[in-house]
């Protein structure tokens, strides 16, 4: 007997599930449970198993899409996050760049950064544009940040140093020092999450990742444990913002890759359906959760 394929999508209002098994397709819709999203998934799974006759042990693959990371950023419900950068550059995340949709509107109100200025810290260190160390990492200054982070109730930290995309050793060492003082702290390195040139793009991505990581990592761990407790050993893959799939472990480390995955998946499905029907012009709508 072929293994079943289960698809789960969590929206802001509804959680949708679809099961393919033995040539049949079964679907259901239940209310999303924002406090603990896995509860809505389990409710939907129970309903879909009742309708199809399948059991958790029959699952061979689980595909999961979710707007949880997107909603956390939009609603500003992520973790209390700090940003550590090269000394002298803590305002780069707010200055951003010149290109914007209202180029000459001097009264335009931009969204506030996910990390306020008082939670952005500069550390003496510097690499040049070829990855050479100009100023060694000041480890004493890094260690001195730990009490400040604790006093501020920080849950997550993004670390972004100049030219770290060439060599992230200063970022990695900073993480080591902070974890010695604050075990279990959620830390995102810009050199890992987005090893790209230009500090604003890299640091803003790192900040967004750090902001949603505690929420998403906790949810994904609970979801995996819940599926296993029900008897499912099927791998769980998450839909990414590029419309591809990633592993559960990668999604835990880099949840920013899940942001806006819903519209990406919808566009890919629309293109697939259009190709099946020989249509070269279609209009796709994303109505949200």
């Amino acid at each position: 007997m072929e293994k079943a394929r289960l698809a789960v999508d969590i929206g802001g209002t509804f959680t949708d599930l679809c099961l393919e098994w033995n040539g049949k397709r079964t679907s259901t819709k239940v209310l999303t449970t924002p406090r603990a999203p896995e509860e809505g998934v389990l409710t939907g799974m129970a309903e879909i198993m009742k309708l199809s006759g399948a059991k958790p042990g029959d699952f061979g693959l689980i595909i999961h899409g979710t707007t949880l990371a997107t909603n956390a950023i939009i609603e500003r419900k992520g973790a209390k996050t700090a940003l550590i950068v090269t000394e002298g550059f803590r305002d780069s995340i707010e200055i951003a760049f010149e290109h914007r949709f209202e180029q000459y509107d001097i009264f335009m109100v931009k969204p506030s950064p996910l990390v306020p200025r008082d939670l952005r810290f500069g550390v003496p260190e510097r690499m040049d544009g070829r990855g050479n160390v100009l100023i060694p990492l000041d480890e004493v200054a890094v260690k001195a940040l730990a009490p400040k982070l604790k006093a501020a109730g920080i849950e997550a930290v993004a670390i972004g140093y100049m030219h770290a995309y060439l060599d992230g050793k200063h970022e990695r060492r900073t993480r080591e020092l902070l974890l010695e003082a604050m075990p279990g702290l959620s830390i995102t390195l810009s050199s890992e999450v987005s090893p790209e040139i230009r500090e604003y793009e890299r640091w803003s991505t790192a900040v967004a990742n750090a902001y949603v990581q505690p929420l998403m990592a906790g949810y994904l761990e609970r979801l995996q444990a819940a599926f296993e407790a029900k008897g499912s050993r099927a791998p769980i893959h998450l839909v990414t913002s590029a419309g591809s799939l990633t592993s559960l472990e990668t999604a835990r480390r880099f949840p920013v890759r899940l942001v806006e995955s819903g519209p990406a998946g919808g566009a890919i499905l629309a293109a697939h359906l259009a190709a099946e029907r020989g249509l070269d012009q279609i209009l796709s709508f994303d109505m949200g959760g």
Side-chain angles (χ1 to χ4, degrees):
M1 183 178 293
E2 67 173 309
K3 286 288 188 179
R5 297 193 302 169
L6 177 67
V8 180
D9 181 71
I10 298 179
T13 305
F14 296 108
T15 294
D16 297 284
L17 296 91
C18 183
L19 183 76
E20 280 191 346
W21 190 45
N22 291 333
K24 294 178 61 178
R25 187 173 295 168
T26 307
S27 61
T28 192
K29 180 187 291 284
V30 298
L31 287 173
T32 293
T33 50
R35 181 184 58 82
E38 69 278 6
E39 292 179 5
V41 174
L42 294 177
T43 298
M45 187 174 76
E47 178 66 20
I48 211 164
M49 288 191 298
K50 180 180 177 181
L51 293 171
S52 67
K55 296 180 174 57
D58 295 321
F59 299 159
L61 177 65
I62 299 170
I63 304 295
H64 187 11
T66 176
T67 62
L68 292 176
T70 307
N71 292 344
I73 292 174
I74 293 173
E75 298 172 8
R76 299 299 176 107
K77 292 182 178 179
K80 190 170 186 181
T81 304
L83 172 63
I84 299 173
V85 299
T86 304
E87 189 174 53
F89 289 88
R90 72 170 178 163
D91 291 320
S92 294
I93 195 76
E94 193 159 2
I95 295 171
F97 42 59
E98 183 179 0
H99 303 295
R100 53 192 183 185
F101 61 90
E102 291 289 351
Q103 183 77 21
Y104 301 107
D105 182 1
I106 61 174
F107 299 106
M108 185 181 74
V109 178
K110 297 190 295 183
S112 300
L114 294 174
V115 178
R117 195 170 194 267
D118 64 323
L119 296 180
R120 305 196 297 258
F121 305 94
V123 169
E125 72 82 45
R126 189 65 185 266
M127 286 189 180
D128 66 16
R130 296 184 178 179
N132 302 310
V133 176
L134 298 178
I135 302 175
L137 176 68
D138 188 336
E139 297 193 0
V140 173
V142 174
K143 293 176 182 178
L145 288 178
K148 298 178 181 178
L149 299 177
K150 290 179 181 178
I154 293 300
E155 302 169 278
V157 172
I159 302 171
Y161 291 145
M162 291 294 291
H163 301 298
Y165 60 92
L166 292 168
D167 188 339
K169 63 184 176 183
H170 283 180
E171 292 189 352
R172 292 191 295 272
R173 180 56 180 158
T174 300
R175 176 172 59 189
E176 291 172 0
L177 293 170
L178 289 179
L179 288 177
E180 288 175 5
M182 303 175 68
L185 180 66
S186 178
I187 298 179
T188 292
L189 305 187
S190 75
S191 56
E192 292 180 350
V193 72
S194 181
E196 302 289 339
I197 193 171
R198 304 195 186 285
E199 60 270 20
Y200 173 72
E201 289 86 342
R202 185 160 38 89
W203 295 354
S204 60
T205 303
V207 165
N209 193 79
Y211 188 71
V212 300
Q213 189 171 36
L215 168 74
M216 293 303 298
Y219 161 66
L220 293 173
E221 287 169 8
R222 296 193 306 272
L223 181 70
Q224 183 179 33
F227 271 111
E228 291 178 352
K230 294 290 184 180
S232 172
R233 296 295 182 269
I236 302 174
H237 296 296
L238 280 294
V239 181
T240 73
S241 54
S244 58
L245 298 177
T246 192
S247 68
L248 198 69
E249 182 54 38
T250 299
R252 284 195 193 107
R253 291 186 62 205
F254 305 121
V256 72
R257 297 180 185 177
L258 310 181
V259 174
E260 296 297 347
S261 58
I268 289 173
L269 173 61
H272 177 74
L273 293 175
E276 278 188 346
R277 287 155 179 77
L279 302 174
D280 58 4
Q281 292 188 14
I282 63 167
L283 188 61
S284 175
F285 292 93
D286 180 5
M287 303 301 290

